[in-house]
Amino acid sequence: MKELGRAMASAALREARERCARDRVFTLGGRQWLQLAGVVGSEYNTATELFAQWLPYAGAKSMLEMGCGCGVAAVTAALAGCPEVLAVDINPYAVESTRINAARHGVGERVTALRSDLFSAVDPNARFDLVFWNSPFIDDEVPRAAPDEYFVDHFFDPGYSLHDRFLAGLRTHLSENGRAFLGFSMAMGNVDEVADIAARHGFTLRPFRSEGFSVPYQELGTGDVFRQAADESGKVTIDFSLMELVR
């Protein structure tokens, strides 16, 4: 577990519990999106916007977005011409947010949103040309504020058990030439651990595209973990990385 990632995710969780407790409309990628209360969205979707722009939609006839949240990637895929998109999330408010946003952007007939614990509600015979999961890449266990709270799932995956389950079911849901991607951060998550889990399931994890930015460590927080992560100029470099899982 990387202490920087744990500290940043813990701070983001505290903010999300306050800011995402009510319905909101936010702008991303030049479009407006609805975020129902109980869904992490708005300012926390910076990485999602990048990943949705980077995904290789060309030629994909079907796509699965795992952990869809507000459905940004699913809707973007449909707008890019993908005729069949399935968006799943364990959070029922995320599922409804995705349905609303798909209709808002005129692709409601292409996007199906389902409540699912990873692949649990996905047709066992379904195969996808493109699979994407903006995964919770912080390996830490954090208690829920309430039994029906889903904010924790957005940031944390203790022991990378969700990643393990995802990778165990992924192969059977990829088409012959299907491609799979994880949204990740190598600065905040443990990419080596996830790569080892991927290898056990017959996948190679490799960078597809990445973007980094540097900020003064004081903007992240006042704890020693931020100061220790800074370079000589006093800045911390954070990345958003789209990782491909190659068979």
Side-chain angles (χ1 to χ4, degrees):
M1 178 182 65
K2 291 192 175 181
E3 291 304 317
L4 175 64
R6 181 181 183 276
M8 292 185 65
S10 295
L13 175 61
R14 289 193 297 270
E15 293 178 359
R17 282 171 167 163
E18 179 180 346
R19 297 181 181 180
C20 301
R22 62 185 185 279
D23 295 357
R24 300 175 67 183
V25 174
F26 63 96
T27 300
L28 195 73
R31 299 185 178 96
Q32 286 195 322
W33 308 83
L34 174 66
Q35 165 203 321
L36 292 178
V39 183
V40 177
S42 55
E43 60 266 35
Y44 302 98
N45 271 323
T46 301
T48 300
E49 180 179 15
L50 291 174
F51 299 148
Q53 292 171 351
W54 295 345
L55 285 167
Y57 303 111
K61 301 299 182 184
S62 58
M63 176 190 172
L64 168 64
E65 183 182 12
M66 186 70 66
C68 56
C70 296
V72 173
V75 170
T76 302
L79 290 170
C82 187
E84 296 183 10
V85 181
L86 177 62
V88 302
D89 204 298
I90 197 170
N91 183 344
Y93 309 110
V95 173
E96 187 59 25
S97 295
T98 296
R99 289 176 181 150
I100 292 170
N101 287 321
R104 173 190 290 261
H105 296 296
V107 290
E109 76 287 353
R110 293 188 174 193
V111 177
T112 300
L114 293 177
R115 188 181 185 191
S116 182
D117 180 4
L118 296 179
F119 293 105
S120 65
V122 178
D123 184 341
N125 297 314
R127 302 292 184 271
F128 301 93
D129 295 332
L130 186 61
V131 176
F132 168 64
W133 184 25
N134 188 8
S135 68
F137 47 73
I138 305 301
D139 175 8
D140 195 16
E141 188 163 3
V142 176
R144 299 178 187 276
D148 60 349
E149 184 206 52
Y150 297 95
F151 293 138
V152 169
D153 301 313
H154 183 87
F155 301 102
F156 297 98
D157 179 14
Y160 285 133
S161 60
L162 289 175
H163 286 75
D164 191 28
R165 288 172 51 211
F166 170 76
L167 286 156
L170 176 61
R171 184 177 294 274
T172 59
H173 287 289
L174 282 173
S175 63
E176 182 177 357
N177 296 311
R179 301 174 71 180
F181 297 85
L182 287 179
F184 208 80
S185 171
M186 290 182 278
M188 293 185 284
N190 190 334
V191 70
D192 292 334
E193 179 63 26
V194 175
D196 288 345
I197 296 171
R200 293 201 296 270
H201 292 288
F203 291 92
T204 298
L205 184 69
R206 68 183 185 192
F208 179 77
R209 187 168 175 179
S210 183
E211 184 169 307
F213 59 96
S214 298
V215 296
Y217 78 86
Q218 297 93 337
E219 293 185 12
L220 300 177
T222 57
D224 288 343
V225 63
F226 302 111
R227 178 179 53 80
Q228 293 168 358
D231 58 22
E232 293 180 354
S233 68
K235 293 184 177 181
V236 176
T237 299
I238 304 297
D239 69 285
F240 293 133
S241 296
L242 186 61
M243 310 294 291
E244 184 168 10
L245 291 155
V246 182
R247 287 176 286 183

